[in-house]
Amino acid sequence: MTFVQLVAIVVHEYEPAIRFFVDVLGFELVEDSPATTTGGSPKRWVVVRPPDAQTGLLLARADGQQQAAIVGNQHAGRVGFFLRVDDFAAHYQRMVAAGVEFVGPPRKEPYGQVAVFLDIAGNRWDLLGPAPQANQADVRAASQLGSGRTPQGAATMTDDDKYIRRAIDLARQARERGNHPFGALLVADERIVLEAENTVVSQNNPTHHAELNLVQAAWQTLPSELIRRSTLYTSTEPCPMCTGAIFWSGIRRVVFSFPALDLGAMAHDRFCGPCRQLFERAEQKTEVVGPILPDEGRQVHLGFWTTA
């Protein structure tokens, strides 16, 4: 058997590179052993690898000015690495939430979905996934939604509790990353198809609320029929900006945990208000369910707005 065993990536330091590939991209740390350069200087032999893959990456710390000069530019600005994943939407959103820099939005090509991102050194990668396919079940469910009938697979109250708790978990993760405590997810056919966190601080953009991040990623990665028959779950009732984004995206069911008015009182923000009032102005109706488990939704905000 013949195969490429390792490909070297030159980095400035070992630890940030290991954290990026292991904690952010989900690679495995295969080896981290002491070694020496050809000149006798100490170095480390660090190998990371995607799960179940054969080819690994050798993370090589730059040794000298000549090597340092090529960090992040091993392929002269071209895409030099290609990461293939089965669940493109989940990987993309998780990377966005972790602060990975994408050169542009995802796009659909004949060979599948693709988005270009930069690794810890600045090298360009293609994140590659299969092309989303809308099947006949998707089309039938979208037709049912347009006629006012409940699509098969719509969430029950028990499911609502489960998915709301996941949204609250995402809000907690966002807070741990230094962002505002909000999380959201999209559910169709009793499964989570996309998740998002607030990234206002990490991406230095006041509009990067969890729901808006979710809607944007959904339209970049999912079939429109799937989006329109999905339920959006959010840890806190959507603000007016996110309410508008949800409506224009075609999502017609929203479930929230912590009420906007209660958040407004906690954060001393009078701009917050019931999203139902905005949705009710539209001719196309959106079902709003909540508050669901509001005490649990409130917990993630405790102590945040007094220091934010």
Side-chain angles (χ1 to χ4, degrees):
M1 179 174 62
T2 303
F3 62 93
V4 176
Q5 182 178 10
L6 293 173
V7 174
I9 292 183
V10 183
V11 299
H12 287 299
E13 296 293 342
Y14 293 115
E15 295 305 328
I18 292 173
R19 288 195 297 268
F20 176 83
F21 285 101
V22 174
D23 297 341
V24 176
L25 295 191
F27 286 22
E28 297 173 343
L29 180 60
V30 178
E31 185 175 357
D32 186 355
S33 305
T36 57
T37 66
T38 54
S41 301
K43 69 173 185 178
R44 290 157 63 180
W45 186 263
V46 179
V47 176
V48 296
R49 187 173 60 203
D52 302 322
Q54 286 187 319
T55 302
L57 296 178
L58 175 66
L59 304 181
R61 187 177 64 183
D63 183 17
Q65 294 183 352
Q66 183 178 7
Q67 293 184 19
I70 68 165
V71 172
N73 196 32
Q74 289 185 223
H75 298 275
R78 299 187 58 163
V79 173
F81 304 95
F82 303 83
L83 180 61
R84 172 69 67 172
V85 297
D86 292 328
D87 192 336
F88 180 88
H91 276 79
Y92 173 78
Q93 192 56 43
R94 185 171 66 247
M95 291 167 67
V96 169
V100 176
E101 181 179 354
F102 280 85
V103 176
R107 64 183 191 274
K108 298 174 184 177
E109 300 289 351
Y111 52 83
Q113 299 175 94
V114 59
V116 179
F117 70 93
L118 304 182
D119 66 19
I120 186 68
N123 298 298
R124 291 183 175 230
W125 289 63
D126 268 358
L127 178 68
L128 298 166
Q133 299 293 329
N135 56 35
Q136 290 302 311
D138 292 339
V139 175
R140 286 195 300 270
S143 175
Q144 289 176 345
L145 183 59
S147 66
R149 298 193 300 272
T150 302
Q152 184 178 3
T156 65
M157 286 302 295
T158 301
D159 291 329
D160 285 346
D161 291 351
K162 176 178 67 175
Y163 295 129
I164 278 294
R165 286 195 168 104
R166 176 55 187 163
I168 294 170
D169 286 341
L170 292 170
R172 190 174 296 110
Q173 291 178 19
R175 182 171 178 174
E176 291 171 353
R177 299 181 200 274
N179 289 298
H180 297 180
F182 300 93
L185 54 95
L186 206 60
V187 172
D189 294 334
E190 300 181 354
R191 67 184 182 92
I192 298 173
V193 295
L194 201 60
E195 296 181 339
E197 301 173 9
N198 178 289
T199 56
V200 164
V201 176
S202 60
Q203 295 188 347
N204 193 31
N205 190 321
T207 68
H208 281 193
H209 293 194
E211 299 94 335
L212 191 59
N213 287 342
L214 186 74
V215 167
Q216 290 177 339
W219 272 95
Q220 290 167 349
T221 60
L222 300 175
S224 59
E225 296 87 354
L226 182 65
I227 296 171
R228 293 189 180 99
R229 65 187 180 84
S230 297
T231 296
L232 186 147
Y233 291 85
T234 178
S235 60
T236 301
E237 188 173 3
C239 73
M241 175 184 70
C242 293
T243 299
I246 293 167
F247 175 79
W248 291 115
S249 73
I251 297 168
R252 292 294 177 260
R253 187 170 190 265
V254 177
V255 183
F256 69 87
S257 176
F258 193 49
L261 289 176
D262 290 354
L263 173 65
M266 181 180 289
H268 307 290
D269 183 355
R270 299 181 63 183
F271 189 67
C272 299
C275 65
R276 285 185 178 91
Q277 294 179 359
L278 285 179
F279 282 127
E280 287 173 355
R281 297 179 184 178
E283 184 175 344
Q284 293 177 301
K285 298 307 177 184
T286 301
E287 179 186 1
V288 179
V289 179
I292 300 291
L293 306 175
D295 290 338
E296 295 183 28
R298 179 176 181 271
Q299 291 298 314
V300 75
H301 292 283
L302 293 179
F304 180 83
W305 300 104
T306 58
T307 58

